[in-house]
Amino acid sequence: MDQWEALKAECLQCRKCALADTRTNVVFGEGVKDAEVLCIGEGPGEQEDLTGRPFVGRAGKLLDDMLEIIDLSREKNVYIGNMVKCRPPQNRDPLNIEQEACEGWLTAQIELMKPKIIICLGRIAAMKYIKEDFKITKEHGQWFEKDGILRIALFHPAALLRDPRRKPETFEDLKTIQAKIREVCTHTY
């Protein structure tokens, strides 16, 4: 068993926080394990909990469409994961204690993947993986570098479903991401 599969097997048995008591499935993540681009959401929702796959509901369909615009897909060249691997009740934001309990899983995934670009999906992920005081309405679409990895945040796809007026600026952010991928990634996009 390779390191990735060993990590996944261990994660699927995780009981580090109370979210384990209410989950149907652990949502480890999905996509290409050595992708140069990693998308990080905050946590699984109801559909994700039921299927064990990240971003599969309406917001997931929108995310797939957004990624397709810039030639990314789970099957070819991107990995999609979450800060926490189990669904918070009623899709609430993950508590700090839950984030801390789960942090090691995503950290290990990042270490194994070695992505060149991390795309944070929404404010919660951006506050964890870009900077603590991240303001999504002001700082989406801006590049940051941390630990040798370029990072950027987009409005969460669920937020775009609630407020479609944000879609044009998100489209511009996607074009920014596409240009940066072409600049720094080695795989063909």
Side-chain angles (χ1 to χ4, degrees), residues 42 83 93-94 99 121-129:
E42 60 194 59
M83 294 170 49
D93 293 344
Q99 291 180 38
L121 303 169
R123 174 183 59 86
I124 303 296
M127 288 172 66
K128 184 76 170 180
Y129 289 94

Side-chain angles (χ1 to χ4, degrees), residues 125-187:
M127 288 172 66
K128 184 76 170 180
Y129 289 94
I130 296 177
K131 61 180 190 162
E132 286 182 26
D133 62 345
F134 193 91
K135 306 286 187 242
I136 191 75
T137 54
K138 291 183 179 167
E139 296 177 299
H140 68 86
Q142 294 179 29
W143 289 102
F144 298 82
E145 186 173 337
K146 185 176 172 185
D147 302 324
I149 301 171
L150 292 169
R151 299 159 192 248
I152 193 169
L154 297 175
F155 287 106
H156 193 286
L160 294 173
L161 290 173
R162 289 189 301 272
D163 186 1
R165 295 170 298 174
R166 297 272 187 204
K167 285 185 178 180
E169 57 196 303
T170 299
F171 181 76
E172 293 303 316
D173 293 347
L174 289 168
K175 293 312 228 178
T176 299
I177 292 168
Q178 185 176 42
K180 188 61 78 175
I181 287 171
R182 289 179 175 156
E183 179 186 326
V184 303
C185 293
T186 55
H187 295 141

Side-chain angles (χ1 to χ4, degrees), residues 4 13 79 87 142:
W4 190 271
Q13 302 303 314
Y79 194 87
R87 179 186 182 209
Q142 294 179 29

Side-chain angles (χ1 to χ4, degrees), residues 87-107:
R87 179 186 182 209
Q90 287 78 51
N91 293 348
R92 64 161 167 71
D93 293 344
L95 303 175
N96 287 340
I97 194 166
E98 295 159 350
Q99 291 180 38
E100 290 162 12
C102 219
E103 186 173 10
W105 302 120
L106 189 55
T107 298

Side-chain angles (χ1 to χ4, degrees), residues 73-86:
S73 79
R74 302 172 198 236
E75 294 77 29
K76 296 186 319 188
N77 54 11
V78 72
Y79 194 87
I80 301 170
N82 283 302
M83 294 170 49
V84 297
K85 306 297 187 187
C86 300

Side-chain angles (χ1 to χ4, degrees), residues 19-38:
L19 293 180
D21 299 335
T22 57
R23 72 178 178 225
T24 304
N25 285 292
V26 173
V27 182
F28 185 70
E30 182 174 85
V32 178
K33 294 183 270 190
D34 63 349
E36 293 178 292
V37 180
L38 169 63

